Amino acid sequence: MNTPSTDNPQLEEAKALTSRLMHMHYCDGNSKGITAFLAPQFSWLGTGEEQYITGQDSVDAFFQKLTGNIPPCRIWDEEYDALEPVPGLYIVTGRMWIATNPETKMFIKVHQRVTFVYQRMEEEFRCVHIHCSNPYQELVGDELFPEKTGRQSYHFVQERLTELEQQALQQNRQLEVVMSSIAGGLKISNDDDAYSYAFVSKEAAALFGYTVEEFLTVTGGTTVGAVYPPDLKRALADCAEAFRDGGLSYSTRYRVRCKDGSLKWIIDSGKKAQDAEGHWMVNSLYLDVTQSEEDSQRIREQSQLLTSIYDTVPCGIIRFIRRAGGEFELISLNQAALSLLGYKSMEEGLRDWHGGLLGSVLEEDQEMLRQTYFQLHRVGDRQDREYRVRWGDGSLHWLEGTNMVVGSTEDGDSIIQRTLIDITQRKILQQQLNQEQEMYRVAMESSADIMFEYLTDSDTFISYEPRPRQGVKRRELSGYSKLLSDKSFIHPEDAPAAMDNICNGCGESFEMRVVTPDSAPGYYQWHRISSRPIYHSGRLTRVVGTIRNIHAMKETLLENSTRLHMNQSALQAISGVYLSIFYVNLTGGPILRCASVPSPGGPPLPPHWQLLRGVIPAFARPSRRAGPPAGRPAL
């Protein structure tokens, strides 16, 4: 940088020449080029104690010694001022930073200060004096440049760098071990509105299935671009709250879309810090917490579900502690328990808790329940009891309670839970069923009919046979369809009807001959079977019906039929032998007379048959006619 002196072009030319000579000396190593600008009368003051030279010959010899002995350097931040105290004489002062190049294997960095005096000769600038005042205090002997000090510094720095590199390698190895043991990665962001990335580790990018380049492209190079949009507002709010009032540390939780399309939950946490140039940066750690977040979400959902079930399930739940001294401490009860026990509010129920029970339990059942508690000892022990409660309106309700030890306190006291269901309607139905069963039992015992059911799936025939003063006897026959082919069990002629109506569910009434368990082998008795098929989902599952013994009736009918057949046969024989003529004397009274004529080939008959009065009263009515009808002879 040149500080403007005046608008005098000679002053600017003097400053430019000074910069050129400095670069020729330190950067180019061109000592001969420098001597071309020196005046015959020249003096030089260097940085070392021995560096004081005057006279043309001494100066030429000194600059020849400089050739090849000045290591390559670089110059920056140059500042120059120039003035012209008398016409033709110019003084330039300046300062700049000079440092050795890395390939020199030495470390020298100085803030060089110089004074150059020029004289205008034959329209050219000639340097008549140079004074260098940089702090080369470490020049050894006749050194022209602090080479030994520079090399010692270089070796020292190299050793220190080696130590630092080893430390860095060790730290990197430790960091790799740490990063390999956790699902996470590092990032550095600028402290701007989008928290743009300054650095993303490969572990952080790999966390989401990307390379670093892919991750920067997908996210637009910003932390905001990596956040799943529905979570962005909350994440930014967390950071704003953390950094408010000068806070430096932050932590937030959000989701990031992975390369495979899935979402991954992470904790993004870190701290603000200033870098070497004073810029604020945010150093952060990405930590994968997807599994724990999903587990937490499932726990929250399960907790909400259990709470919802606890509050809305129609089953009452009461939980309490049974102390060693016999006291009972109520823990909780749900709304269903209050309703089942007849209370209108939680406060009303809590006030009515006494000795392990709510006051609505009937006094006759309270002691039974308390004794039940003391039968429970270990976790999992269970006792079921039915008891009664009386509501505030006076109505009586039956409850079924399942009492179970579900845990224990730190003091070893048992935690008991009782679940309640209302069985009032079931109790009423049970009583009605018992009454109906009793009536059914009496009806069966007083009936001679046998009830049966046939189970099609298992081919099982079950009969219920009433026995006088002995109740009902149950018989069961397995493989019934196969038994029908057994001639010793059912008459062969009746087996098809039994198969159709009982096994196949035709449901028609029929009669069959069966050898009963109480009869002699081979002695078939007649029975009438009435059946009805039962279907479930369109499939025959059962056949039910009744069996009535009609053997005696059958024998009576057979006997009467035989007797009738014999009478009919006799009448047919008689009608084939005789021909009879009947007449009635309508005027002579109700006496019926009969004249018989032997049939051809028949035996002779008595002369007259006379029937008693009143046998055929229909012909005994008086007639208006005085005599027999025309054409009929009177007898």
Side-chain angles (χ1 to χ4, degrees), residues 240-314:
E241 179 65 23
F243 295 146
R244 191 177 62 181
D245 301 330
L248 298 179
S249 299
Y250 80 99
S251 179
T252 185
R253 184 189 303 256
Y254 54 82
R255 289 168 289 181
V256 175
R257 177 75 70 182
C258 297
K259 187 176 182 179
D260 61 4
S262 63
L263 290 173
K264 185 166 288 188
W265 278 98
I266 64 164
I267 291 180
D268 181 355
S269 61
K271 188 175 183 179
K272 279 187 179 183
Q274 285 183 308
D275 62 8
E277 299 178 357
H279 299 141
W280 282 100
M281 310 297 290
V282 183
N283 303 311
S284 309
L285 171 67
Y286 277 154
L287 186 63
D288 183 4
V289 293
T290 304
Q291 187 62 47
S292 62
E293 183 66 25
E294 291 176 350
D295 292 343
S296 298
Q297 180 65 23
R298 283 193 291 269
I299 292 173
R300 286 193 297 269
E301 292 174 354
Q302 188 176 28
S303 177
Q304 292 172 358
L305 176 62
L306 293 176
T307 301
S308 175
I309 292 174
Y310 185 79
D311 292 336
T312 60
V313 69

Side-chain angles (χ1 to χ4, degrees), residues 493-510:
E493 297 177 0
D494 302 331
M499 178 67 72
D500 290 341
N501 293 283
I502 296 179
C503 297
N504 299 330
C506 291
E508 297 179 355
S509 297
F510 67 99

Side-chain angles (χ1 to χ4, degrees), residues 393-440:
D393 59 5
S395 59
L396 187 66
H397 297 261
W398 277 93
L399 300 179
E400 182 178 55
T402 298
N403 306 278
M404 179 181 292
V405 178
V406 296
S408 60
T409 66
E410 295 180 354
D411 298 330
D413 297 326
S414 297
I415 300 176
I416 299 176
Q417 178 173 288
R418 180 163 72 250
T419 56
L420 316 173
I421 59 172
D422 190 335
I423 60 170
T424 304
Q425 190 63 30
R426 189 180 79 186
K427 276 289 186 180
I428 294 173
L429 294 176
Q430 184 66 43
Q431 292 174 357
Q432 294 176 352
L433 179 61
N434 292 340
Q435 293 175 357
E436 292 174 359
Q437 287 179 339
E438 181 63 20
M439 294 173 61
Y440 177 72

Side-chain angles (χ1 to χ4, degrees), residues 137-276:
Q137 300 175 0
E138 302 299 329
L139 288 175
V140 179
D142 56 354
E143 282 186 330
L144 301 176
F145 190 85
E147 182 177 347
K148 293 183 178 179
T149 300
R151 294 193 183 281
Q152 289 175 355
S153 299
Y154 175 80
H155 292 307
F156 172 76
V157 171
Q158 284 296 106
E159 292 175 357
R160 184 58 181 159
L161 284 176
T162 302
E163 294 178 0
L164 293 176
E165 287 176 358
Q166 292 298 325
Q167 293 179 3
L169 289 174
Q170 180 65 22
Q171 291 175 350
N172 288 336
R173 284 193 292 268
Q174 293 174 349
L175 183 60
E176 289 177 359
V177 171
V178 172
M179 296 307 298
S180 64
S181 63
I182 64 172
L186 300 174
K187 70 178 179 70
I188 300 175
S189 303
N190 296 301
D191 188 19
D192 51 31
D193 293 338
Y195 297 104
S196 57
Y197 290 123
F199 167 78
V200 176
S201 70
K202 62 180 182 180
E203 293 84 4
L207 194 64
F208 311 110
Y210 297 103
T211 64
V212 174
E213 292 75 14
E214 291 173 339
F215 185 67
L216 293 175
T217 300
V218 169
T219 61
T222 66
T223 305
V224 167
V227 181
Y228 184 52
D231 300 342
L232 180 58
K233 183 177 180 180
R234 178 172 52 82
L236 291 175
D238 291 343
C239 293
E241 179 65 23
F243 295 146
R244 191 177 62 181
D245 301 330
L248 298 179
S249 299
Y250 80 99
S251 179
T252 185
R253 184 189 303 256
Y254 54 82
R255 289 168 289 181
V256 175
R257 177 75 70 182
C258 297
K259 187 176 182 179
D260 61 4
S262 63
L263 290 173
K264 185 166 288 188
W265 278 98
I266 64 164
I267 291 180
D268 181 355
S269 61
K271 188 175 183 179
K272 279 187 179 183
Q274 285 183 308
D275 62 8

